[in-house]
Amino acid sequence: MSTALSLNEILSQMGAAGRRLDHMGAVEAGAGNISVCVAKGAEELGLADRLPQVHPSTDLPLPAPALAGRTVLVTGSGCRLRDVAESPEANVSAFVVDEGGLTGTWYTHPTKAYARPTSEFNSHLAVHDDQVSQRGVGFQAVIHAQPPYLVQLSHIKEIRNTRDLNRRILRWEPETIVQLPQGIEVLDFMVPGGQELMENNVRALRDHVIVLWSKHGIMVRSDVSPLAAVDKVEYAETGAMYEVRNIQSGNLGEGVTDDELRAVIAAFNVPTDLF
């Protein structure tokens, strides 16, 4: 996927991602949110055709100067991600960021099922702004979800750190290290929607594609598509599922050993420093 995507294609991808996350049990009720940042403006995307209500000079939750002229599509507060596919206009709005990044033109639909964007919009916007500033990405999808097995592991104090949690989830399937060469960065518990979480999340996503918000959920990014971001979540959550089941069985499973993982890394030229 790229900046060549149409608005219809982007909304379709957001809907498909929402349904897949729902099937994983990772976005109960109104939990979870999705955003897509694309290097196109309102006319180029045809925003007014799908989202005809225009609200100029709407304040953004934080300055995002690198996003000037770009569009950020984002799900609404309290919206169920499983509903995005069937009713995208009711669950997704768009901001075209103004010069300076303090405000934007907000595009909505009369049938919108929310009063404001997701409460995690600050974290989404900060990640998009940082990634455009740092890497100049033309397209990026960002997802926040609450995969149950990953969250459950983050409640175990002894492994609630980047080194130990990655060792636990990467040891069950050889392909996991190939798909997640830098693993997951683990953050301590921080209040959802707060400044501390936002700042640490932005930092963590510079070197990782997934960050775990302990006792809460994850945020994942992709330069390819929303579904590609969900793919990364699936690999991580599957590893966490095996780990939880192994704990429940009394730790009977050996898992893939360090030496075996190193052999996989060598065979596939995996760019990692985890092993």
Side-chain angles (χ1 to χ4, degrees):
M1 293 217 162
S2 70
T3 55
L5 281 176
S6 69
L7 177 60
N8 290 344
E9 290 169 328
I10 293 171
L11 291 172
S12 176
Q13 274 275 324
M14 293 176 74
R19 281 183 169 171
R20 181 66 192 110
L21 290 165
D22 181 58
H23 293 162
M24 293 169 61
V27 287
E28 68 277 8
N33 29 79
I34 303 174
S35 69
V36 170
C37 180
V38 60
K40 289 182 179 181
E43 290 188 12
E44 194 175 1
L45 275 176
L47 283 180
D49 295 335
R50 297 289 298 267
L51 301 168
Q53 293 183 321
V54 182
H55 314 273
S57 301
T58 301
D59 289 337
L60 298 177
L62 51 78
L67 303 184
R70 296 176 183 244
T71 299
V72 180
L73 294 111
V74 61
T75 52
S77 178
C79 291
R80 301 175 186 89
L81 291 192
R82 60 179 176 266
D83 293 341
V84 173
E86 186 173 339
S87 304
E89 291 93 346
N91 295 284
V92 178
S93 65
F95 287 81
V96 178
V97 180
D98 295 331
E99 194 67 32
L102 298 177
T103 60
T105 300
W106 189 25
Y107 289 80
T108 64
H109 193 274
T111 63
K112 72 181 192 315
Y114 55 85
R116 60 188 184 279
T118 170
S119 60
E120 303 287 357
F121 190 33
N122 63 336
S123 287
H124 284 259
L125 201 62
V127 171
H128 288 306
D129 185 69
D130 188 71
Q131 290 291 318
V132 170
S133 176
Q134 296 280 332
R135 302 193 296 121
V137 295
F139 178 98
Q140 182 172 241
V142 172
I143 294 174
H144 166 58
Q146 297 169 188
Y149 291 105
L150 283 165
V151 173
Q152 185 172 0
L153 290 181
S154 77
H155 283 270
I156 302 174
K157 185 176 181 180
E158 291 74 17
I159 62 172
R160 194 168 57 239
N161 61 79
T162 299
R163 181 184 180 279
D164 291 322
L165 185 127
N166 276 292
R167 184 64 192 88
R168 295 294 188 101
I169 68 171
L170 292 172
R171 67 176 176 157
W172 295 109
E173 293 185 329
E175 57 265 45
T176 310
I177 187 66
V178 178
Q179 296 296 326
L180 299 171
Q182 298 307 317
I184 298 174
E185 177 149 343
V186 178
L187 300 181
D188 290 332
F189 176 80
M190 299 173 192
V191 176
Q195 182 76 13
E196 181 186 25
L197 177 58
M198 180 203 69
E199 291 176 354
N200 281 277
N201 183 64
V202 167
R203 174 195 55 75
L205 284 172
R206 288 175 182 163
D207 298 319
H208 300 77
V209 296
I210 303 182
V211 58
L212 175 61
W213 303 351
S214 287
K215 305 180 182 181
H216 180 182
I218 56 95
M219 185 163 272
V220 56
R221 61 175 176 82
S222 171
D223 299 347
V224 180
S225 70
L227 277 175
V230 175
D231 287 344
K232 301 301 183 184
V233 178
E234 287 194 56
Y235 281 109
E237 177 70 348
T238 298
M241 177 193 70
Y242 280 119
E243 180 62 27
V244 169
R245 290 180 176 179
N246 191 51
I247 292 171
Q248 292 171 338
S249 73
N251 292 305
L252 295 177
E254 175 189 34
V256 184
T257 67
D258 284 4
D259 285 343
E260 289 168 340
L261 278 172
R262 292 187 189 103
V264 172
I265 290 166
F268 289 90
N269 296 312
V270 180
T272 182
D273 55 6
L274 293 175
F275 296 92

